Amino acid sequence: ARKHIERSLELEPNNPAYLDSLGWLNFREGNFKRSQNQLQEAAGQMPDATIFDHLGDCLRAQNDLAGAALTYNRSLELSPKNESVKKKLAQLNLWMVPTSPVRKALKQFEYGLQKASNLSGAMLFESKNGLERLVSAQAAAHGFFYMRKNGKLEISSAATQTELRVDFLNPLMAPSITLRYKNFPNEQWGVFPPEIKTQLPPETESIMEMLASLLSGKLSEDFDHPDTAIEENQKFYLLRRGERSLRIDKKRSLVTEIQDRSQFIEIDKYQVINGVSLPAKLTFRWPVLGALSKWQSLQVEFSQLSFEKIENKIFDIGKEP
């Protein structure tokens, strides 16, 4: 076969059908990179459903799932009734690839959060079996939060930079407490007054980090990766990557639960502000250290949300010395 294909290419060096045949032969022999180059050249000269099908197989063999999905999709555009390619694409859509419906839902959710570059509002906290220092047993704690992204222009980074400040205003507590989280280098986590820090549960920092990551879109963005596996039923998508999972409501394209190793965030309610769906009520859950099947929880409810610009002084007040 190789002898005849190579002889054909000597006679017609730029014939895309012959290039496809040679690329497919190299694929069958396991020469994937050489096959990819030849199939891409053939597809560039003559967009053809079969050539794109072959190229998709070659990319998938090299674990380029995103590239394979896009290529199979191109093949289906040229030959919509090809059941074999439909099946291959459906198998790839069980992973986070550009053609999967769940990716569209995830990006829609992230796009809404990206609009909230400044976000502030009131908070109500209720705790169960944890964070007793922050939330009184007699009454729920009230407070305010402020979050902004890319707020420090002097820090150059391609990544989104997020600042989060939470003020507890429970009159039963003395003194009041301010928690801070930044994903900037060298300054991530702080408490004011500083002597309170040792009295807080060790999970407090990770809860602040998860809250900032959720509201900034970073937490869901981490699942936009070909290694993310997808399960689906009638109501939701379940995404899994390593020890983490994320659940998306199919009808609303909204995240309803995130598991980050042993910690959970359940988003119980959303509210629409300026056309953006934002978490209105969520619950953090984490296991009690050394106790089987026992959980601590913290419920947070947001209100009076605003997109107004947050000035630097908001994050400067009450800083640690």
Side-chain angles (χ1 to χ4, degrees), residues 83 143 205 294:
E83 295 298 327
E205 179 180 0
K294 288 188 177 181

Side-chain angles (χ1 to χ4, degrees), residues 12 35 88 93 96 127 129 150 184 199 221:
E12 296 185 44
S35 170
K88 294 175 185 178
N93 282 341
M96 183 60 68
S127 178
N129 301 325
N150 296 321
F184 303 167
Q199 303 177 36
E221 188 181 65

Side-chain angles (χ1 to χ4, degrees), residues 61-290:
Q62 298 175 83
N63 206 35
D64 182 359
L65 303 186
L70 290 171
T71 306
Y72 287 141
N73 193 65
R74 184 75 177 103
S75 177
L76 281 177
E77 290 175 356
L78 297 168
S79 180
K81 296 183 180 180
N82 191 318
E83 295 298 327
S84 174
V85 177
K86 285 182 181 179
K87 184 176 180 180
K88 294 175 185 178
L89 188 58
Q91 290 173 340
L92 285 183
N93 282 341
L94 297 177
W95 300 88
M96 183 60 68
V97 295
T99 56
S100 57
V102 66
R103 187 175 189 272
K104 180 180 179 181
L106 186 68
K107 301 312 286 185
Q108 180 178 330
F109 175 75
E110 291 175 10
Y111 178 71
L113 292 177
Q114 288 168 4
K115 291 182 180 180
S117 56
N118 290 269
L119 185 63
S120 60
M123 305 176 77
L124 176 67
F125 306 87
E126 292 186 13
S127 178
K128 182 179 180 181
N129 301 325
L131 295 183
E132 287 82 2
R133 181 63 186 88
L134 298 182
V135 181
S136 168
Q138 286 75 30
H142 296 265
F144 293 93
F145 83 100
Y146 308 88
M147 187 200 72
R148 65 179 179 181
K149 292 169 279 186
N150 296 321
K152 292 241 176 177
L153 300 179
E154 68 270 19
I155 298 180
S156 59
S157 172
T160 299
Q161 296 161 350
T162 304
E163 286 183 282
L164 178 64
R165 168 179 168 170
V166 175
D167 296 335
F168 289 89
L169 304 177
N170 189 341
L172 298 178
M173 294 188 307
S176 297
I177 300 174
T178 295
L179 307 181
R180 303 177 183 279
Y181 172 79
K182 300 181 181 182
N183 69 342
F184 303 167
N186 305 321
E187 189 178 0
Q188 292 189 332
W189 162 241
V191 180
F192 186 84
E195 60 268 19
I196 298 294
K197 192 171 186 178
T198 57
Q199 303 177 36
L200 298 177
E203 297 83 9
T204 308
E205 179 180 0
S206 61
I207 289 175
M208 289 286 288
E209 180 182 359
M210 289 183 73
L211 180 59
S213 297
L214 171 67
L215 295 178
S216 67
K218 176 66 171 63
L219 204 57
S220 55
E221 188 181 65
D222 289 344
F223 287 88
D224 187 9
H225 193 280
D227 289 343
T228 298
I230 300 169
E231 300 175 24
E232 179 182 359
N233 63 25
Q234 291 184 342
K235 294 184 177 180
F236 60 83
Y237 299 108
L238 182 63
L239 285 59
R240 297 186 186 277
R241 186 181 178 200
E243 298 180 67
R244 310 170 78 185
S245 67
L246 179 147
R247 188 170 65 188
I248 300 179
D249 183 292
K250 292 173 67 173
K251 185 177 181 179
R252 299 179 297 161
S253 295
L254 294 175
V255 173
T256 58
E257 182 181 278
I258 301 175
Q259 178 186 0
D260 188 356
R261 298 172 180 83
S262 61
Q263 298 188 59
F264 291 81
I265 300 179
E266 297 172 357
I267 306 176
D268 306 307
K269 185 170 65 174
Y270 278 86
Q271 57 185 309
V272 179
I273 308 294
N274 295 347
V276 177
S277 294
L278 295 170
K281 186 177 182 180
L282 47 85
T283 303
F284 296 90
R285 293 191 295 114
W286 63 98
V288 176
L289 186 63

